[in-house]
């Protein structure tokens, strides 16, 4: 199996996501930086997980030249992952299909099935969550587990690593588990490098901070999560290992490479320890619809999308939260799946901007074949919205029945009757509408107010 | 004989801040907030911004934090730099 060497990606600041949530932290010898993060990390890495899952589904392709196509449509498709035999024939990820087939005429091309891969990853994360509450995914096929305090449960670090690998048998067949690499070390960078150095099924353990520096010293400088240009400059300077980098003075590195140089030195010397932070993904809200016959035209897909959006937004689980990220997907005719993800610039609970964004994505990346079923997932959420358009007479309201009438000052008879009845029962109208007071104010509580709604 | 209850005021404020107890780290970043009698940890601070206004009147100076709690809920907290108190707003 040809493996693309993934690079460690350091934490980005402040965003809960499927990447590396949480800010980077300096080493803290006595305790973890926050109550939930874990200083000691176990990295499990299953390279080319997606292609391996396909080969599990179709075992007869295992010993052949196979390549997984990249997601997304277009006429010039490229390869995403390739099997070992294909690699031996000169086929590489990123090549155009035409190039690859000319190099290997017997190459079998597979359409990706992202829904299947996501389901496999979810199953893996769930089973690993039984071992430790601190689970941080880092891209499909790679996950960091927080191992602080688990010595009493699972024993020494090598036992902990083996226990984690054995847990994967609950969701993956033996060939997949056998291909998994494991690395245990203080901090995520150390654990990742250990996993990358490990042989499948034989985890590498760096048991303490004292062992970390000599272990990192012999690792290649290309393992650093820095810009490609920085790596090239280091190579030109003759610095090929982390040990050589660690011997350089910090001031010189900062002068040459700025903050990236300081970070690189921190990783190379083991002084920078990125803890594993638990990943909190809110449970997505999913709705789907099956078509009686496969559908390829945009019109029916767009109207189905509108219906799915309406259903998803009206789910009780969505109340009190706006939507910040969505995924639209489909089961394709003949097998396989298609998905597009979109993160909204501004979280909203209104269907129009979400539908517009997803339709645009469908235009850019249309399903490659006719669609058997369409599904929509609300995957990221934001704070509750202030529905200023509900009763505001200046802007158009969003309610379907009589919404535009309210904007023009005309109140629907049913609403008028409801207010009259409430006034009879309790003596006054308990309804309010949101009015603008000082919408440009920097003080949030001065922008809008509630005015009694009494038509 | 009891009189009818007086109607509520016609104009009411919206999005008024509410005083809360917040625990911070050494840099003043919130790490926990007490809500409904229970302390909840802050998982992530998504964004921080400051507003300073009305210096000519009663100065308003607030440091806002958009946070995500451990249970996934989103909150907007601010530290009133004049009154030295924490408030929840949204």
């Amino acid at each position: 199996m040809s493996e693309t060497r993934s690079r460690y990606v350091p934490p980005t600041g402040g965003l809960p996501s499927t990447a590396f949530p949480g800010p980077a932290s300096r080493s803290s010898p006595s305790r973890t930086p926050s109550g939930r993060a874990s200083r000691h990390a176990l990295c499990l890495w299953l390279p080319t997980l997606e292609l391996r899952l396909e080969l599990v589904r179709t075992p007869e392709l295992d010993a052949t030249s196979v390549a997984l196509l990249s997601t997304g449509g277009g006429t010039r498709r490229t390869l995403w992952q390739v099997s070992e035999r294909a690699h031996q024939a000169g086929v590489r990820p990123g090549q155009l299909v035409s190039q690859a087939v000319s190099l290997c005429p017997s190459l079998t091309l597979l359409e990706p099935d992202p829904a299947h891969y996501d389901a496999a990853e979810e199953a893996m994360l769930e089973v690993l969550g039984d071992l430790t509450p601190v689970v941080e995914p880092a891209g499909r096929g790679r996950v960091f587990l927080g191992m602080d305090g688990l010595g009493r449960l699972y024993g020494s670090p090598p036992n902990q690593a083996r226990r984690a690998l054995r847990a994967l048998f609950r969701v993956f067949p033996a060939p997949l588990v056998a291909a998994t690499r494991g690395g245990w070390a203080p901090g995520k960078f150390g654990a990742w490098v250990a996993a990358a150095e490990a042989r499948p099924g034989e985890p590498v353990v760096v048991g303490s901070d004292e062992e970390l520096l000599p272990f990192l010293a012999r690792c290649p400088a290309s393992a650093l999560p820095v810009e490609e240009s920085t790596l090239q400059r280091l190579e030109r300077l003759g610095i090929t290992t982390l040990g050589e980098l660690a011997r350089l003075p910090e001031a010189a590195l900062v002068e040459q490479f700025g903050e990236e140089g300081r970070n690189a030195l921190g990783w190379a010397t083991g002084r920078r320890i990125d803890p594993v932070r638990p990943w909190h993904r809110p449970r997505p809200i999913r709705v789907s619809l099956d078509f009686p016959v496969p559908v390829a035209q945009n019109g029916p897909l767009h109207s189905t999308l509108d219906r799915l959006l309406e259903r998803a937004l009206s789910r009780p689980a969505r109340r009190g939260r706006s939507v910040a990220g969505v995924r639209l997907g489909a089961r394709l005719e003949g097998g396989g799946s298609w998905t597009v993800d979109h993160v909204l610039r501004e979280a909203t609970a209104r269907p129009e901007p979400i539908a517009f964004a997803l339709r645009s994505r469908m235009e850019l990346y249309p399903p490659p074949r006719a669609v058997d079923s369409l599904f929509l997932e609300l995957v990221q959420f934001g704070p509750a919205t202030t529905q200023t358009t509900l009763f505001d007479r200046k802007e158009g309201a969003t309610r379907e029945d009589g919404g535009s009438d309210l904007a023009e000052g005309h109140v629907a008879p049913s609403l008028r009757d409801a207010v009259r009845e409430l006034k009879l029962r309790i003596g006054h109208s308990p309804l309010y509408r949101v009015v603008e007071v000082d919408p440009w104010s920097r003080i949030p509580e001065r922008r809008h107010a509630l005015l009694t709604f009494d038509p | 004989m009891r009189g009818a209850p007086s109607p509520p005021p016609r104009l009411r404020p919206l999005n008024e801040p509410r005083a809360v107890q917040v625990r911070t780290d050494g840099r003043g970043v919130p790490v926990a907030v007490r809500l409904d009698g229970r302390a909840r940890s802050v998982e992530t601070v998504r964004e921080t911004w400051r507003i300073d206004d009305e210096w000519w009147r009663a100065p308003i100076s607030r440091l806002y934090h958009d946070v995500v709690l451990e249970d996934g809920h989103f909150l907007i907290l601010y530290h009133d730099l004049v009154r030295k108190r924490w408030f929840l707003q949204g």
Side-chain angles (χ1 to χ4, degrees):
Chain A
M1 185 76 60
S2 172
E3 296 164 356
T4 305
R5 189 92 165 194
S6 304
R7 294 180 65 209
Y8 167 76
V9 177
T12 57
L15 296 175
S17 71
T18 56
F20 289 73
S25 68
R26 301 292 176 207
S27 65
S28 174
S30 57
R31 61 177 178 85
T32 52
S34 79
R36 300 294 299 277
S38 171
R39 194 171 184 278
H40 294 97
L42 170 65
C43 176
L44 296 179
W45 177 41
L46 217 176
T48 58
L49 169 68
E50 294 83 355
L51 182 56
R52 291 180 196 272
L53 285 171
E54 293 293 347
L55 294 179
V56 163
R57 269 207 294 212
T58 322
E60 55 270 22
L61 294 175
D62 201 7
T64 65
S65 301
V66 186
L68 195 56
L69 291 168
S70 56
T71 53
T75 51
R76 292 167 67 83
R77 301 282 297 276
T78 56
L79 304 188
W80 181 14
Q81 296 171 8
V82 303
S83 67
E84 185 59 41
R85 290 196 73 157
H87 189 264
Q88 287 169 0
V91 179
R92 298 287 184 272
Q95 281 178 343
L96 290 173
V97 168
S98 52
Q99 276 177 294
V101 170
S102 66
L103 288 166
C104 181
S106 63
L107 185 68
T108 303
L109 298 170
L110 299 175
E111 282 283 355
D113 190 351
H116 176 57
Y117 312 146
D118 288 340
E121 198 201 7
E122 286 282 342
M124 179 182 76
L125 294 176
E126 190 145 340
V127 103
L128 292 174
D130 292 342
L131 289 178
T132 167
V134 187
V135 178
E136 186 180 337
R140 240 190 246 127
R142 184 170 54 178
V143 61
F144 289 98
L145 307 180
M147 306 309 282
D148 281 355
L150 296 182
R152 283 195 175 185
L153 273 176
Y154 307 128
S156 64
N159 283 346
Q160 293 171 24
R162 282 191 285 270
R163 179 67 184 263
L165 284 172
R166 279 201 303 272
L168 294 179
F169 280 111
R170 285 164 57 188
V171 291
F172 289 152
L176 250 59
V177 180
T180 306
R181 299 164 187 241
W184 196 109
K188 287 193 293 190
F189 177 67
W192 157 241
V193 176
E197 296 288 309
R199 282 205 283 249
E202 297 176 21
V204 167
V205 172
V206 182
S208 65
D209 289 22
E210 289 72 33
E211 293 173 46
L212 186 60
L213 180 57
F215 167 74
L216 291 174
R218 59 179 187 270
C219 293
S222 56
L224 286 168
V226 296
E227 295 287 333
E228 192 62 41
S229 56
T230 301
L231 291 176
Q232 288 169 1
R233 285 183 65 196
L234 286 172
E235 192 179 338
R236 282 199 295 272
L237 290 170
I239 300 165
T240 54
T241 67
L242 295 178
E244 289 167 355
L245 182 68
R247 286 193 283 274
L248 297 175
E250 183 173 345
L253 277 169
V254 172
E255 188 182 333
Q256 286 295 319
F257 300 104
E259 192 60 28
E260 205 170 47
R262 193 197 310 276
N263 292 339
L265 187 64
W267 280 313
T269 55
R271 286 201 303 267
R272 174 171 168 154
I273 301 290
D274 301 318
V276 185
R277 294 192 177 274
W279 169 66
H280 283 295
R281 193 181 75 143
R283 195 170 289 276
I285 294 172
R286 181 186 167 113
V287 291
S288 63
L289 195 141
D290 294 334
F291 297 112
V293 292
V295 171
Q297 295 83 16
N298 277 348
L301 290 178
H302 288 175
S303 59
T304 305
L305 168 61
D306 293 339
R307 285 173 60 188
L308 290 177
L309 254 177
E310 194 183 324
R311 281 169 50 192
L313 292 173
S314 64
R315 282 278 185 91
R318 201 276 307 164
R319 286 200 195 127
R321 301 185 287 179
S322 53
V323 177
V326 292
R327 168 175 296 165
L328 180 67
R331 285 262 161 235
L332 302 174
E333 183 187 17
S337 64
W338 161 88
T339 59
V340 287
D341 294 330
H342 185 75
V343 177
L344 297 159
R345 285 172 60 187
E346 196 175 321
T348 180
R350 294 173 49 228
E352 293 85 3
I354 304 174
F356 177 79
L358 286 174
R359 283 198 203 112
S360 305
R361 300 291 280 181
M362 286 172 72
E363 291 292 319
L364 283 172
Y365 307 109
R369 296 194 299 282
V371 163
D372 279 340
S373 68
L374 199 64
F375 67 85
L376 173 72
E377 287 183 349
L378 310 182
V379 296
Q380 285 185 43
F381 300 91
T385 57
T386 304
Q387 292 197 331
T388 60
T389 58
L390 198 57
F391 289 103
D392 196 336
R393 295 188 179 190
K394 280 189 185 174
E395 297 169 27
T398 57
R399 293 169 73 88
E400 283 183 18
D401 50 337
S404 57
D405 294 340
L406 271 178
E408 292 159 11
H410 177 68
V411 179
S414 55
L415 190 56
R416 201 184 291 276
D417 290 343
V419 172
R420 189 182 306 123
E421 184 163 337
L422 285 166
K423 282 172 68 174
L424 283 172
R425 281 175 186 252
I426 60 177
H428 60 271
S429 168
L431 300 183
Y432 287 81
R433 62 183 178 90
V434 179
V435 294
E436 287 182 345
V437 176
D438 186 1
W440 305 111
S441 172
R442 300 175 70 201
I443 317 298
E445 63 267 28
R446 303 236 182 113
R447 293 175 192 151
H448 297 91
L450 293 172
L451 182 68
T452 302
F453 182 74
D454 191 354
Chain B
M1 187 167 154
R2 196 183 296 178
S6 56
R10 285 185 59 84
L11 194 66
R12 290 172 61 179
L14 185 63
N15 203 12
E16 281 249 293
R18 178 162 66 104
V20 288
Q21 285 181 317
V22 172
R23 185 161 50 90
T24 61
D25 64 11
R27 292 173 300 146
V29 177
V31 295
V33 58
R34 181 167 284 278
L35 288 175
D36 304 323
R38 200 161 62 89
R40 300 197 207 177
S41 296
V42 170
E43 184 58 43
T44 311
V45 177
R46 299 203 306 171
E47 201 177 349
T48 297
W49 67 97
R50 177 170 170 162
I51 61 171
D52 295 274
D53 211 342
E54 301 194 355
W55 51 268
W56 62 94
R57 205 156 51 185
I60 292 173
S61 184
R62 301 176 182 175
L63 187 61
Y64 278 86
H65 303 271
D66 182 355
V67 305
V68 183
L69 300 182
E70 58 184 344
D71 56 9
H73 277 95
F74 295 84
L75 291 183
I76 295 181
L77 303 169
Y78 73 82
H79 186 212
D80 189 321
L81 301 172
V82 175
R83 290 191 275 175
K84 303 281 189 273
R85 290 197 66 183
W86 282 89
F87 292 87
L88 167 67
Q89 187 167 46

